[in-house]
Amino acid sequence: SQQGEEDPQALSIQEGENATMNCSYKTSINNLQWYRQNSGRGLVHLILIRSNEREKHSGRLRVTLDTSKKSSSLLITASRAADTASYFCATGGNQFYFGTGTSLTVIP
Amino acid sequence: DVKVTQSSRYLVKRTGEKVFLECVQDMDHENMFWYRQDPGLGLRLIYFSYDVKMKEKGDIPEGYSVSREKKERFSLILESASTNQTSMYLCASSLAGRRENSPLHFGNGTRLTVT
């Protein structure tokens, strides 16, 4: 029962540009989390936004949450080549459900 | 920092073999999880555990079992490996009990190939 669905599936941008990824989910949530995965590695937690929050910032990351639309977005500002990775949203309570991810390529 | 260690990065096994994937975390986390990751399918939850000797099925438990004899160790067992179990297996752990949400901490994964 996969919950999160990221969009787009793949994104390619130039270094310095902003990257926006979207996530849609199906049922009510307590929070939504974003993770990053470098090729061939495990996932790393980036940011958590609670259901009563609308926006959250962490460094170059900005996450928004719209519970009425069951959607979230992750914005990476001033992207760097090192941001090249796959990004996943995850929802759930005791169990976490992940989408299929957005593959981001930042071209130097 | 939390460290989640999976015993093997790459593993090649034959069909029908019994396979053990080991995962150890060093931060006294209550919750531990096993996922498999396949292209186009994302991460799918196989089993999880809230405490020692406790286990619960995830979305795709068929063909797998788990063992949690100690808090820090969560083992995934493929009773009789099949080619459709070729995948990347990811172990994760998290703090707190059932009703709280805390981030997952992942190991680096085990890429299992069953021939």
Side-chain angles (χ1 to χ4, degrees):
Chain A
S1 50
Q2 198 164 293
Q3 275 244 37
E5 287 293 335
E6 293 88 351
D7 171 64
Q9 289 189 337
L11 182 60
S12 184
I13 59 173
Q14 295 289 330
E15 200 166 33
E17 293 181 339
N18 295 343
T20 299
M21 289 158 270
N22 302 297
C23 168
S24 58
Y25 57 92
K26 295 176 184 174
T27 63
S28 61
I29 58 171
N30 293 326
N31 66 59
L32 185 141
Q33 304 182 26
W34 284 91
Y35 289 79
R36 165 198 169 121
Q37 183 180 34
N38 285 60
S39 179
R41 314 291 281 189
L43 281 73
V44 175
H45 178 257
L46 293 176
I47 194 166
L48 179 153
I49 185 165
R50 300 189 190 283
S51 59
N52 61 355
E53 297 176 310
R54 292 296 166 258
E55 189 170 312
K56 196 162 183 179
H57 296 253
S58 176
R60 293 185 296 112
L61 304 180
R62 175 182 155 231
V63 170
T64 61
L65 179 65
D66 186 336
T67 53
S68 67
K69 295 181 179 178
K70 291 186 169 58
S71 68
S72 173
S73 67
L74 171 67
L75 169 68
I76 303 174
T77 60
S79 63
R80 305 166 183 168
D83 294 329
T84 294
S86 292
Y87 292 83
F88 296 85
C89 66
T91 61
N94 305 315
Q95 306 172 40
F96 289 84
Y97 294 102
F98 289 81
T100 54
T102 292
S103 176
L104 173 66
T105 301
V106 181
I107 302 165
Chain B
D1 273 356
V2 177
K3 190 162 185 181
V4 179
T5 303
Q6 294 183 231
S7 54
S8 305
R9 286 299 310 276
Y10 300 95
L11 212 51
V12 179
K13 296 292 181 180
R14 293 191 181 275
T15 302
E17 278 193 78
K18 190 168 186 175
V19 182
F20 293 86
L21 302 183
E22 306 287 349
C23 175
V24 176
Q25 49 95 3
D26 66 359
M27 285 299 289
D28 203 34
H29 283 177
E30 291 86 355
N31 304 334
M32 295 190 76
F33 305 81
W34 275 107
Y35 289 88
R36 64 177 281 178
Q37 183 177 23
D38 301 285
L41 296 177
L43 278 77
R44 293 179 290 167
L45 182 63
I46 305 171
Y47 267 99
F48 58 104
S49 169
Y50 295 125
D51 204 348
V52 176
K53 297 196 186 294
M54 289 185 61
K55 60 183 179 182
E56 294 199 29
K57 293 179 180 179
D59 293 326
I60 52 164
E62 297 78 19
Y64 303 95
S65 62
V66 290
S67 171
R68 192 155 181 212
E69 296 296 318
K70 293 184 178 181
K71 192 173 185 179
E72 67 271 19
R73 185 180 296 270
F74 192 35
S75 303
L76 180 69
I77 304 155
L78 285 65
E79 298 291 342
S80 177
S82 64
T83 55
N84 63 13
Q85 291 178 310
T86 291
S87 186
M88 170 71 101
Y89 289 88
L90 292 164
C91 174
S93 71
S94 70
L95 195 59
R98 284 174 175 268
R99 297 188 184 280
E100 297 185 43
N101 301 303
S102 63
L104 289 176
H105 298 265
F106 282 86
N108 278 326
T110 296
R111 188 167 293 280
L112 172 68
T113 302
V114 182
T115 62

